[in-house]
Amino acid sequence: MDRNKLTVEDLLSFPALQLRLLAGEGGLGRAVSWAHVSELDDPTPWLMGAEMIMTTGLAIPRAAARQRAYLERLDDAGVAALALSAQLHVPPLHKAFFAAAEERGMPVLQVPLAVPFIAVAQEVAAAVQEDARQRLGAQLQVFGALRWLASENLDTATLFQRLERLSGYDVYLCTPQGRPLLPGVPAPDPGVIPASTDAPPTIPGGFALPVLAPGGPAGFLIAFAREGARPAGLAVVQHIATVAALQLAMVRTERETLRREGAEILAELLQDVLDPATARRRLLRHSIEGETALLVVRGVSEDALLRSLDGQPHLLLGRGEDRYVLGSPDLGQAVAAMPGVAAGMSRPFPPGEPLRVAQREALWAASNATESGRPLVRYGDDTAGRWLPDDPVVLAALVEHVLGAALRYDAAHNSQMLPSVRTWMERDRRTDDAAAALHIHPNSLAYRLRRFAEITGRDLSSTGAFAEVWLAIRAAAQLGLMNGQDTRSVSDR
């Protein structure tokens, strides 16, 4: 028990008050912050915790179950004790009422008729005056946190460690869903997060307050009184919530500034207008160093991608439906875990290198992911791709030489001959499986394979022709000529 606090046991020891304990001896060590008269059935929405509620008995229900519920309601709100005036309006108290007091350690006191409630309130006020001075000092020091923010450039973790020492509370911050709200400040147990921002601020052992932000509350501040400390009260916790809101605004502004700057850097890298030394310096400002990779991400929103990559250095740029991400190759793991994603990753390369080749690799891998239904494809996972050159001119020449006639035939006749060949090859020449994937009869697929051989002059039963066609199909996919129904000729691209 903290002897700097006024307790229920202390009040019982004041001779002038003549208080008598009726039940709840187990709670005599409860701290008392105030004494207040209430004749309401439910005064809890207006309580902050640690009050001693005094009543003439008008608030006490007559039925046993309702008496028990009344006492439990007060105890759940953190009331320190219930004081009843003797010989006035208190109805007969049932065994259930006294049993609840004993079970919960909720002190029930009797105030003699000769002692007015105001006398009890004055004694409590005088006893807590010293504690009030301590709370005022804590409030003034918490106000000083605004000066720390402006002059000392404290990181978030250090700032809130100072506020915890000043306030006497362990502080937690979280979003409404229970995720950490600010870096360096832990999130609380999900069970203590209020269901709404309109909930009373008092919770068992401390307070829960909304952290405000433009557009509505961003989350909650949970403060639990630290054992052995002198908690400074609700007013100080409210000031800490204000500091949290200011810090959140600063963090969000900084993140948005860095995000926009990162998008500009990535755009310049993709346009190849930065020399490697300048690119490395700018990447280092965003904590990107060491081996890097470029990803093209599809199928997810930018907000979802940002949440997935939170805390990991990266640059992000949106181009149409594609999200370009530059950072460590380890980012692929977080991206692949996102539901509904289809992403492609380039081979790793040193930071600051031109992105011309990496972009082509990532786009090819992303198209491959979309076609195959895989969440992430890394360029180079496809063994056939290792034998293809990086030069798009050479790739285009290969496609035109091997597949040009087939591409033009499909474009002219709106047919699916070349996609059918690709599907057949991808299924290891199993005609029935490929036909099922194409939703056609195996005889129709066999006809398309024969027609392909006639048009291109390449018999797919030949190992050499098969290898040449397969590499050409991979080259066409790398150039974006095999996406969906796109069967235009290379010269049209």
Side-chain angles (χ1 to χ4, degrees):
M1 183 172 61
D2 185 356
R3 297 312 304 169
N4 293 315
K5 292 284 189 180
L6 176 69
T7 66
V8 177
E9 187 174 15
D10 294 331
L11 291 176
L12 283 169
S13 70
F14 289 180
L17 299 183
Q18 304 174 51
L19 300 177
R20 184 165 71 91
L21 180 68
L22 299 180
E25 184 177 5
L28 293 181
R30 294 187 178 197
V32 180
S33 65
W34 200 248
H36 190 72
V37 179
S38 175
E39 304 295 354
L40 296 173
D41 283 344
D42 183 12
T44 57
W46 293 274
L47 301 179
M48 296 190 301
E51 299 92 349
M52 182 170 73
I53 294 298
M54 301 180 289
T55 175
T56 63
L58 295 174
I60 308 295
R62 305 192 74 84
R66 293 184 62 200
Q67 284 184 2
R68 182 183 182 100
Y70 170 78
L71 185 133
E72 290 176 341
R73 201 158 49 238
L74 296 181
D75 185 51
D76 289 342
V79 169
L82 175 64
L84 310 175
S85 179
Q87 303 170 355
L88 281 178
H89 306 292
V90 179
L93 298 174
H94 295 276
K95 289 182 180 180
F97 177 83
F98 290 113
E102 294 296 342
E103 289 168 11
R104 289 177 167 249
M106 172 71 168
V108 178
L109 312 179
Q110 186 179 71
V111 184
L113 194 59
V115 178
F117 284 166
I118 189 65
V120 179
Q122 286 176 339
E123 287 288 348
V124 172
V128 301
Q129 186 174 17
E130 180 182 350
D131 185 56
R133 284 197 294 269
Q134 181 264 332
R135 292 180 181 221
L136 177 60
Q139 289 185 42
L140 293 175
Q141 291 186 71
V142 169
F143 275 129
L146 303 179
R147 185 179 66 254
W148 306 336
L149 285 172
S151 62
E152 298 187 40
N153 195 29
L154 297 179
D155 62 78
T156 303
T158 303
L159 172 66
F160 278 86
Q161 286 167 6
R162 284 196 189 181
L163 293 173
E164 286 182 326
R165 288 196 299 270
L166 285 175
S167 66
Y169 292 95
D170 291 323
V171 174
Y172 303 85
L173 289 168
C174 65
T175 67
Q177 295 76 32
R179 295 190 298 269
L181 185 63
L182 282 173
V185 183
D189 185 284
V192 303
I193 301 173
S196 76
T197 56
D198 297 325
T202 303
I203 60 174
F207 302 101
L209 297 172
V211 177
L212 302 179
F220 293 95
L221 180 145
I222 312 295
F224 289 116
R226 195 163 57 248
E227 188 175 354
R230 299 183 66 183
L234 177 60
V236 165
V237 177
Q238 287 172 328
H239 294 323
I240 295 176
T242 301
V243 173
L246 291 172
Q247 186 71 358
L248 179 63
M250 292 171 62
V251 168
R252 285 182 171 179
T253 299
E254 182 179 0
R255 282 179 178 174
E256 180 61 19
T257 300
L258 287 173
R259 189 194 67 77
R260 291 182 179 179
E261 181 181 289
E264 292 174 1
I265 293 172
L266 184 48
E268 291 177 329
L269 287 170
L270 290 169
Q271 294 166 13
D272 198 16
V273 297
L274 292 179
D275 64 86
T278 302
R280 283 192 292 271
R281 285 197 303 271
R282 295 192 182 182
L283 290 174
L284 191 59
R285 168 172 161 74
H286 291 261
S287 302
I288 298 174
E289 52 186 332
E291 203 169 50
T292 56
L294 182 68
L295 292 96
V296 172
V297 183
R298 296 169 180 167
V300 295
S301 68
E302 185 169 309
D303 287 343
L305 185 56
L306 286 170
R307 286 195 298 270
S308 175
L309 300 179
D310 188 34
Q312 302 184 67
H314 66 277
L315 307 184
L316 172 63
L317 173 68
R319 282 190 169 181
E321 297 300 317
D322 290 345
R323 317 289 177 196
Y324 284 76
V325 179
L326 181 68
S328 165
D330 294 339
L331 295 178
Q333 194 170 6
V335 170
M338 299 179 68
V341 74
M345 177 186 285
S346 72
R347 291 172 295 181
F349 55 89
E353 290 289 307
L355 299 186
R356 178 174 54 85
V357 173
Q359 181 182 7
R360 191 164 60 246
E361 292 176 352
L363 284 169
W364 174 85
S367 296
N368 193 295
T370 301
E371 294 171 3
S372 65
R374 294 161 61 188
L376 175 67
V377 171
R378 292 176 173 85
Y379 186 88
D381 287 352
D382 176 13
T383 54
R386 299 176 185 175
W387 301 101
L388 295 174
D390 291 329
D391 191 337
V393 175
V394 177
L395 290 175
L398 171 63
V399 173
E400 174 60 29
H401 176 66
V402 178
L403 303 177
L407 284 166
R408 285 187 286 276
Y409 180 89
D410 276 345
H413 296 84
N414 194 27
S415 60
Q416 293 293 306
M417 181 178 61
L418 189 54
S420 299
V421 172
R422 180 188 64 179
T423 302
W424 178 71
M425 286 182 160
E426 287 174 345
R427 283 158 178 76
D428 299 324
R429 290 168 284 185
R430 293 191 296 268
T431 302
D432 288 346
D433 289 351
L438 292 166
H439 306 291
I440 61 175
H441 193 276
N443 291 341
S444 298
L445 177 57
Y447 169 77
R448 292 181 184 181
L449 296 176
R450 289 195 303 272
R451 190 78 180 110
F452 175 84
E454 293 170 0
I455 291 172
T456 62
R458 286 170 174 81
D459 182 358
L460 294 177
S461 64
S462 161
T463 301
F466 183 94
E468 186 180 32
V469 170
W470 177 242
L471 284 175
I473 285 176
R474 305 316 297 168
Q478 189 164 324
L479 291 170
L481 299 177
M482 294 292 291
N483 299 336
Q485 305 298 315
D486 190 352
T487 54
R488 288 175 290 165
S489 70
V490 181
S491 59
D492 292 333
R493 299 292 290 183

